[in-house]
Amino acid sequence: DTAVSQTPKYLVTQMGNDKSIKCEQNLGHDTMYWYKQDSKKFLKIMFSYNNKELIINETVPNRFSPKSPDKAHLNLHINSLELGDSAVYFCATARGVYSPLHFGNGTRLTVT
Amino acid sequence: QQQVKQSPQSLIVQKGGISIINCAYENTAFDYFPWYQQFPGKGPALLIAIRPDVSEKKEGRFTISFNKSAKQFSLHIMDSQPGDSATYFCAARGAGYNNNDMRFGAGTRLTVKP
């Protein structure tokens, strides 16, 4: 039973499209995150959300928006996709903001 | 600005050998230093972590060595096995800060040859 699951695993789409990536966790953790891993494997935080507060990394374009329908889900919506958005996106959770991160297996987004 | 510098970028070790990955940080406010292991097609997973009040932490074949004065820490993998082949990330988080301010190194791709 996967603790942090993301769908889809692969996403290929054209420039200008709008897409969503879903994340679900069954760990009961309070805080969820979205990370971006670029082609050089560099990990960078995009958002964190703990059902009270959304913290957005200031470098993330406003085309990206997280949506949390409930405590177990944090979905990532991306509008007007660009070539540079191609990357692997990871959802992660933590019991608290100071607790270790638990990552999902990632969604590889390819924008053509 | 990359606050955590990791080296080497890639490492090839024979089975049974010792793998050593080094990280250096700049911000003296960092007080939590985890290492993550990532296999292809998977997300990073916490391997081992240390706080600066100790100079070494060992869990099985994995050891973190920490040098506060030099602002450096390293991961040692003893008796390296082919199953250890993965990408390893060091990270650092500041005192009073949280995962939003976790800074990752650029990663080291380890290959253990049989």
Side-chain angles (χ1 to χ4, degrees):
Chain A
D1 193 18
T2 305
V4 183
S5 60
Q6 296 179 227
T7 53
K9 187 171 178 64
Y10 301 97
L11 182 56
V12 181
T13 187
Q14 292 184 327
M15 285 177 55
N17 285 347
D18 302 337
K19 290 293 179 184
S20 295
I21 305 172
K22 295 184 178 181
C23 176
E24 178 180 4
Q25 58 114 346
N26 62 9
L27 296 170
H29 286 174
D30 289 328
T31 308
M32 298 183 72
Y33 304 83
W34 278 104
Y35 278 81
K36 179 180 180 180
Q37 186 172 48
D38 62 23
S39 59
K40 295 184 178 179
K41 294 280 193 177
F42 193 70
L43 277 163
K44 188 173 183 181
I45 192 167
M46 301 177 69
F47 304 98
S48 71
Y49 186 77
N50 69 355
N51 78 20
K52 294 180 183 178
E53 185 179 17
L54 171 66
I55 299 176
I56 303 171
N57 184 315
E58 60 188 12
T59 66
V60 175
N62 58 16
R63 298 181 294 104
F64 291 79
S65 59
K67 297 276 194 295
S68 180
D70 55 56
K71 190 176 176 180
H73 297 82
L74 184 65
N75 304 324
L76 182 64
H77 297 270
I78 315 170
N79 295 325
S80 303
L81 278 156
E82 300 178 357
L83 292 175
D85 298 332
S86 295
V88 180
Y89 292 84
F90 287 100
C91 177
T93 72
R95 186 176 305 280
V97 293
Y98 299 101
S99 302
L101 295 164
H102 297 256
F103 285 86
N105 285 331
T107 296
R108 181 176 293 277
L109 171 65
T110 303
V111 182
T112 62
Chain B
Q1 180 184 6
Q2 190 174 347
Q3 295 190 26
V4 180
K5 296 184 179 179
Q6 183 172 346
S7 62
Q9 190 173 13
S10 62
L11 179 63
I12 300 174
V13 174
Q14 289 295 130
K15 178 182 175 181
I18 302 174
S19 304
I20 302 174
I21 304 171
N22 301 301
C23 282
Y25 63 96
E26 300 169 358
N27 189 341
T28 54
F30 288 146
D31 76 338
Y32 174 68
F33 303 90
W35 284 89
Y36 284 84
Q37 179 189 53
Q38 184 179 25
F39 292 105
K42 301 293 185 182
L46 180 68
L47 186 63
I48 187 172
I50 196 169
R51 292 196 180 272
D53 53 343
V54 296
S55 60
E56 185 175 284
K57 183 174 181 179
K58 183 177 181 180
E59 290 184 2
R61 296 184 294 108
F62 301 92
T63 300
I64 300 178
S65 296
F66 185 83
N67 186 329
K68 188 174 182 178
S69 61
K71 293 188 286 186
Q72 295 175 346
F73 58 110
S74 60
L75 176 69
H76 296 237
I77 306 174
M78 310 300 288
D79 186 26
S80 298
Q81 299 296 312
D84 297 330
S85 297
T87 300
Y88 292 81
F89 294 92
C90 63
R93 190 179 67 199
Y97 293 86
N98 54 51
N99 288 324
N100 297 314
D101 291 286
M102 182 84 77
R103 298 287 183 255
F104 284 87
T108 297
R109 178 173 290 185
L110 171 65
T111 302
V112 181
K113 294 201 167 184

